[in-house]
């Protein structure tokens, strides 16, 4: 009876220990998602796989080399992941790493859509050119690094001000991540598709280009005509008015949010199973 009770307590302790480790790892991965650090993390996984295979197949030279990499890996990780580690410690200090927001996802989404729609309408009326890319599942950290990091709360005033002519950040793309303006003055890849109309300029080609390599939604305000266009998955939708833009964003951002929630439910179902 005593041994059985001890075994049950020990199993419970091990289960809690593993669950906490996995939760912390999940939060770290979410923190570095969309940055170059995630590529480095994949490299570490590859090294560990090679190390495991070398043990099984008794490849002594490869095992020795991977052992050296692993032995010095802790120091290398601290050096390479220094910005992400610092940001994680700052979030822990603010108590925001493990906290949940008090607002619903629908409210956050509506505020995000409204800020973008109001800004685009203002700029369209005044023929202010703009290029706005909204990150979804595919991280855009590499493109953000080509510009200036902002990490500022998304408001239509700030978004409009960034694209005001003759200001330092007006040339290039703004990248929006979650509820923040992630970066401004970013360079996006230009599409080389021969099917794009020759009347469309560099902004439209950049919007098409980023839509071909990521799942981002990108909005273009034409400086010449004041027309609003949007791209996703290599498709261009032109001549959107303010309400049309709201509907377009609501439809596509809501669908990506539902897909994300579905994945989360599936993961929870698998864990419970």
């Amino acid at each position: 009876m005593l041994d059985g009770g001890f075994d049950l307590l020990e199993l419970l302790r091990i289960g809690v220990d593993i669950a906490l480790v996995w939760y912390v790892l999940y939060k770290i991965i979410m923190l570095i998602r969309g940055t170059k650090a995630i590529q480095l993390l994949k490299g570490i996984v590859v090294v560990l796989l090679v190390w495991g295979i070398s043990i099984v197949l008794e490849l002594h030279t490869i095992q020795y080399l991977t052992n050296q990499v692993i032995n010095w890996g802790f120091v290398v990780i601290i050096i390479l992941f220094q910005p992400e580690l610092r940001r994680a410690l700052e979030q822990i200090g603010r108590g925001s790493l493990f906290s949940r927001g008090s607002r619903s996802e629908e409210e956050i989404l509506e505020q995000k859509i409204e800020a973008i729609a109001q800004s685009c309408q203002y700029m369209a009326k005044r023929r202010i050119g703009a290029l706005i890319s909204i990150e979804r599942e595919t991280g855009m950290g590499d493109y953000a690094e080509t510009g200036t990091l902002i990490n500022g709360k998304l408001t239509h005033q700030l978004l409009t001000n960034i694209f005001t002519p003759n200001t330092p950040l007006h040339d290039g793309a703004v990248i929006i991540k979650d509820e923040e303006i992630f970066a401004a003055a970013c360079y996006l890849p230009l599409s080389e598709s021969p099917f794009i109309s020759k009347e469309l300029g560099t902004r439209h080609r950049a919007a098409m280009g980023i839509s071909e390599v990521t799942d981002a939604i990108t909005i273009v305000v034409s400086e010449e005509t004041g027309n609003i266009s949007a791209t996703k998955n290599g498709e261009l939708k032109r001549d959107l008015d303010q309400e049309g833009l709201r509907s377009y964003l609501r439809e596509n951002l809501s669908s990506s949010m539902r897909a994300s929630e579905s994945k989360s439910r599936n993961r929870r179902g698998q864990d419970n199973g």
Side-chain angles (χ1 to χ4, degrees):
M1 187 76 175
L2 182 61
D3 291 341
F6 176 77
D7 290 342
L8 181 61
L9 184 62
E10 188 66 22
L11 286 173
L12 181 61
R13 186 182 295 114
I14 292 172
V16 171
D17 189 23
I18 293 173
L20 286 173
V21 170
W22 275 110
Y23 183 71
V24 171
L25 286 175
Y26 169 76
K27 284 293 184 179
I28 291 173
I29 291 172
M30 290 297 102
L31 184 68
I32 66 175
R33 186 182 63 173
T35 68
K36 288 185 177 179
I38 197 69
Q39 303 301 325
L40 296 175
L41 187 61
K42 291 177 181 178
I44 293 172
V45 172
V46 171
V47 170
L48 292 176
L49 286 174
V50 171
W51 176 69
I53 292 171
S54 68
I55 292 176
V56 173
L57 300 180
E58 297 183 355
L59 305 175
H60 300 296
T61 303
I62 294 178
Q63 185 178 345
Y64 171 78
L65 292 175
T66 51
N67 278 335
Q68 297 304 308
V69 172
I70 292 170
N71 289 338
W72 289 96
F74 182 73
V75 176
V76 173
I77 287 172
I78 291 177
I79 295 172
L80 295 178
F81 286 73
Q82 184 265 340
E84 284 73 23
L85 291 172
R86 182 178 61 190
R87 187 167 53 193
L89 291 174
E90 288 174 352
Q91 290 192 7
I92 291 172
R94 293 196 301 265
S96 60
L97 183 61
F98 302 104
S99 63
R100 285 179 170 268
S102 58
R103 294 182 298 164
S104 68
E105 291 185 349
E106 289 78 10
E107 291 174 339
I108 294 172
L109 179 61
E110 284 301 319
Q111 290 182 6
K112 179 177 181 177
I113 291 172
E114 191 60 28
I116 296 170
Q118 286 187 25
S119 177
C120 288
Q121 182 69 12
Y122 179 92
M123 292 186 289
K125 287 181 178 179
R126 291 159 180 80
R127 304 287 179 88
I128 298 173
L131 181 60
I132 304 165
S133 197
I134 306 169
E135 181 185 282
R136 295 203 286 176
E137 291 297 314
T138 306
M140 299 183 67
D142 289 347
Y143 302 107
E145 289 179 0
T146 65
T148 301
L149 295 180
I150 303 294
N151 291 321
K153 180 178 173 59
L154 172 60
T155 63
H156 71 88
Q157 293 94 338
L158 177 57
L159 190 57
T160 302
N161 191 67
I162 288 174
F163 288 109
T164 300
N166 302 320
T167 56
L169 301 178
H170 84 280
D171 194 20
V174 159
I175 295 177
I176 293 175
K177 180 177 181 180
D178 298 327
E179 301 88 59
E180 290 188 342
I181 296 178
F182 185 22
C186 302
Y187 292 98
L188 303 183
L190 300 181
S191 174
E192 298 180 358
S193 172
F195 302 107
I196 299 177
S197 173
K198 294 186 181 298
E199 68 183 30
L200 300 178
T202 304
R203 286 192 181 91
H204 288 85
R205 285 195 169 271
M208 286 293 292
I210 195 66
S211 74
E212 292 167 357
V213 295
T214 73
D215 64 350
I217 294 174
T218 304
I219 304 162
V220 181
V221 179
S222 173
E223 189 174 1
E224 289 76 20
T225 64
N227 290 336
I228 300 173
S229 305
T231 66
K232 66 164 185 173
N233 300 329
E235 298 177 352
L236 174 66
K237 190 174 183 65
R238 302 177 65 180
D239 299 329
L240 293 167
D241 58 15
Q242 188 176 25
E243 193 53 45
L245 179 59
R246 283 194 186 96
S247 299
Y248 183 88
L249 292 175
R250 194 174 292 118
E251 176 185 351
N252 290 286
L253 294 179
S254 296
S255 62
S256 64
M257 186 174 70
R258 287 194 298 270
S260 178
E261 289 175 350
S262 177
K263 289 179 182 178
S264 299
R265 284 195 297 270
N266 289 337
R267 282 196 296 267
R268 288 196 295 268
Q270 291 172 0
D271 294 341
N272 294 334

